Amino acid sequence: MTPVKPIAKATSSSRRQFLKGTGYYAALLGCEIVFFKHLPKGMIPIALAQENNGFQIPGKDPNLVVLNDRPINAETPAHLLDDAITPASRLFVRNNGIPPANVDTASWTLTIEGESAKQRKTYTLAQLKQRFKHYTYQLTLECGGNGRSEFSPPAKGNQWSTGAVGCPEWTGVRLADVLNDVGIKSSAVYIGYYGKDTHLSGDAHKDPISRGVPINKALEPESLIAWAMNGEDLPAMNGHPLRLVFGGWPASTSGKWLDRIVVRDQVHDGAKMTGTAYRVPFKPVAPGAKVADEDMCIIHAMPAKSLITHPKSGILQPLSDKMTVRGHAWVGDQAVKNMAISIDFGQTWQTVSLSKAANRNAWQHWQGQLSFPQKGYYEVWAKATDSNGKSQPMVLPGWNPKGYLNNACHRIAVQVV
Ligand SMILES: Nc1nc2c(c(=O)[nH]1)N[C@H]1C(S)=C(S)[C@@H](COP(=O)(O)O)O[C@H]1N2
Ligand SMILES: [Mo]
């Protein structure tokens, strides 16, 4: 296992290259920055800047760690994910492009079409809400690149530590109900989404991202077209007013600012579906190896993983007290069967209590009690095992060129005094 790296707040020097002709902040400010092209690289509009020259995303907890501001990407420290249901303010943000500014919910529409759709049909948001039954599910959303920062040699992309995950409650309609209303042909194999965000280059002909899922995942009861998170409108940065949610699959499949779904007779080939994007080698490869495109496969359900959300790493623990440890565990389309913790770097493991998920594709909560033999430094490690008997690795899982699927055990530091 690689040593825990401290996560630095994004600094001006680490920020992305200045990109001409785009209004990254327009969606946040609610208006255009007229002289944007003169705004120096790395300088945050003062209206959005905090004392620490960090970057506060409206509606989000100021303690989210901003990894990148062009586009905006922010993750949640583990101890802030302690709630059973992730508050909207603490759900991470991952943007590939520029979010739409001035979203008008009254005129928002969703169009379903494609070679395997029986017709082309457009719904207003109001029609979607009126015509179809509403469902609420707690669904785990985790970026495929969560944990990327630990890979060596490093992989390009957002250097997520452990916080590109959350499990809020989502309300919307079943994608299956809408697809059945349109009618899908027997040739349907995949769905693809398009959102109203724009490409970083400002080129209107390019999509920032257009991914999707196989038709069987699309038709599952928990696969939603959602407009609400925890009973309120989606936050602007999480796809307001409409998005897809496929719990347990790489969150890149959960299209935000959704305005079009295509029903495909082949694997969807939109932006970031092809090449190396969201793909991993079929077979294990040596770290740093070059892998040919044809040897890579699309990531489907995410592997077993867990987080220690209490206590916060670095806690001072009195020797005479028992310590309550808790967190969440999740795995793609299945259930976590067993949860264990260790205080001796994995020599021995203690099974802890584990709850059932609120519904399929929701994370489960676990809790245990620890006592320590003597004063000194310890680490608590946490390990989830899924219903197929697959456990989280204690060291990094297989290296892959883009740094996806790091489900190594989460560790926290404890000093017993
Ligand atoms: N339209 C659109 N949908 C998108 C993205 C995006 O950039 N644009 N990013 C995807 C990726 S890579 C992730 S990890 C999730 C992040 O969802 P969140 O920002 O609500 O946490 O949204 C996915 N859906
Ligand atoms: Mo992602």
Side-chain angles (χ1 to χ4, degrees):
M1 184 173 293
T2 52
V4 185
K5 269 188 244 153
I7 312 145
K9 284 236 170 202
T11 58
S12 332
S13 60
S14 73
R15 289 208 172 95
R16 279 198 137 193
Q17 272 299 108
F18 180 72
L19 290 152
K20 289 196 199 88
T22 51
Y24 306 90
Y25 300 108
L28 295 175
L29 291 167
C31 61
E32 195 75 15
I33 302 175
V34 178
F35 295 113
F36 181 77
K37 65 178 179 200
H38 301 314
L39 181 66
K41 171 188 167 188
M43 184 178 269
I44 291 162
I46 194 73
L48 299 170
Q50 290 173 284
E51 302 127 38
N52 62 359
N53 197 28
F55 176 65
Q56 158 105 54
I57 303 168
K60 292 288 170 181
D61 189 312
N63 296 307
L64 258 54
V65 177
V66 177
L67 300 178
N68 197 337
D69 67 321
R70 298 182 179 192
I72 294 155
N73 289 287
E75 70 172 321
T76 315
H79 69 282
L80 296 182
L81 287 171
D82 194 39
D83 299 84
I85 298 173
T86 309
S89 63
R90 291 181 173 175
L91 182 68
F92 74 102
V93 175
R94 196 307 187 222
N95 290 338
N96 287 267
I98 307 157
N102 307 318
V103 165
D104 176 25
T105 52
S107 62
W108 195 275
T109 58
L110 171 66
T111 297
I112 317 282
E113 59 187 5
E115 62 270 9
S116 289
K118 286 191 177 155
Q119 56 178 322
R120 179 177 195 274
K121 211 162 171 178
T122 297
Y123 304 89
T124 63
L125 205 51
Q127 283 169 338
L128 278 178
K129 291 182 182 180
Q130 275 155 20
R131 287 210 199 154
F132 303 98
K133 191 167 174 216
H134 298 187
Y135 292 89
T136 297
Y137 294 112
Q138 207 191 335
L139 300 169
T140 310
L141 201 66
E142 182 181 18
C143 177
N146 195 22
R148 176 179 289 131
S149 65
E150 288 191 28
F151 280 106
S152 177
K156 276 199 205 126
N158 285 299
Q159 296 300 303
W160 303 112
S161 120
T162 58
V165 63
C167 194
E169 247 176 27
W170 307 88
T171 300
V173 295
R174 284 182 172 157
L175 174 58
D177 290 350
V178 178
L179 291 178
N180 287 330
D181 188 58
V182 172
I184 52 172
K185 298 181 190 167
S186 58
S187 60
V189 298
Y190 230 88
I191 67 104
Y193 69 75
Y194 292 87
K196 273 206 172 156
D197 45 343
T198 46
H199 196 267
L200 284 175
S201 64
D203 184 341
H205 302 291
K206 282 189 184 163
D207 298 311
I209 188 167
S210 170
R211 304 198 68 243
V213 294
I215 196 74
N216 56 347
K217 177 68 179 171
L219 295 176
E220 281 178 3
E222 299 82 6
S223 296
L224 294 183
I225 302 174
W227 54 78
M229 188 191 295
N230 302 336
E232 291 181 22
D233 284 354
L234 294 174
M237 288 298 116
N238 301 111
H240 175 73
L242 202 62
R243 75 173 300 169
L244 288 167
V245 189
F246 296 111
W249 280 50
S252 53
T253 59
S254 294
K256 304 194 281 187
W257 308 291
L258 179 72
D259 74 337
R260 193 156 63 96
I261 292 172
V262 287
V263 188
R264 305 296 315 268
D265 65 2
Q266 61 173 77
V267 174
H268 183 54
D269 52 0
K272 307 209 173 175
M273 276 304 295
T274 54
T276 55
Y278 300 99
R279 288 178 187 237
V280 288
F282 279 110
K283 290 188 204 142
V285 298
K290 275 222 158 32
V291 187
D293 281 5
E294 62 268 24
D295 294 333
M296 305 272 276
C297 60
I298 299 173
I299 302 167
H300 284 178
M302 298 288 285
K305 201 159 169 181
S306 58
L307 269 184
I308 303 162
T309 59
H310 179 86
K312 182 180 174 179
S313 187
I315 190 179
L316 294 180
Q317 168 71 20
L319 179 62
S320 54
D321 295 356
K322 286 210 169 209
M323 190 172 89
T324 298
V325 197
R326 63 172 179 260
H328 317 290
W330 62 96
V331 56
D333 283 332
Q334 312 166 52
V336 174
K337 190 183 66 183
N338 186 69
M339 189 65 214
I341 53 178
S342 174
I343 59 166
D344 54 11
F345 303 107
Q347 287 294 297
T348 60
W349 292 89
Q350 169 186 332
T351 295
V352 294
S353 72
L354 177 68
S355 75
K356 283 211 162 70
N359 50 254
R360 199 169 156 272
N361 296 138
W363 66 17
Q364 295 163 247
H365 317 300
W366 59 267
Q367 180 161 323
Q369 292 247 305
L370 285 174
S371 41
F372 297 88
Q374 64 184 72
K375 293 179 180 176
Y377 175 85
Y378 297 85
E379 289 188 6
V380 179
W381 291 9
K383 182 171 73 171
T385 304
D386 71 19
S387 40
N388 287 338
K390 273 199 171 181
S391 296
Q392 288 183 257
M394 277 136 64
V395 293
L396 279 176
W399 183 91
N400 61 87
K402 289 285 187 99
Y404 297 120
L405 306 184
N406 175 7
N407 68 334
C409 289
H410 184 213
R411 316 148 59 190
I412 61 160
V414 177
Q415 194 187 337
V416 176
V417 291

